[in-house]
Amino acid sequence: YRLGQFGVQGGARLSRHNLFGNVLTVEANPYFKFGQSLIYASVSSAFNAPSLYQLYDPQRGNRQLEAESSLSVELGYKHQFKG
């Protein structure tokens, strides 16, 4: 979505896992463009379930492992130099 110099991109994903249920992950990326410069940000969540090997391997598996989740935040500035 864009409105003048401002814009935002986003997304969402619903993951269904037999052991860990439904998990919604999201992402939002707002930005502001002026002249040859761009200020941007990104906020996103993530989900990672243990693999079948990590859970059920006869020698190294651990059925007590939990899924991992995370939140990532980024802020940046870009400038296009003429040359």
Side-chain angles (χ1 to χ4, degrees), residues 24-73:
L24 180 66
T25 54
V26 295
E27 179 177 9
N29 303 295
Y31 62 90
F32 177 69
K33 186 172 184 178
F34 56 100
Q36 299 296 316
S37 297
L38 176 75
I39 296 174
Y40 64 92
S42 177
V43 178
S44 60
S45 62
F47 167 78
N48 186 27
S51 69
L52 292 175
Y53 173 79
Q54 292 171 322
L55 290 170
Y56 301 114
D57 180 72
Q59 294 181 0
R60 299 186 190 270
N62 181 350
R63 294 182 184 178
Q64 302 301 313
L65 290 175
E66 296 290 328
E68 299 174 353
S69 61
S70 64
L71 179 67
S72 175
V73 178

Side-chain angles (χ1 to χ4, degrees), residues 2 13 29 49:
R2 188 170 180 175
R13 176 181 177 164
N29 303 295

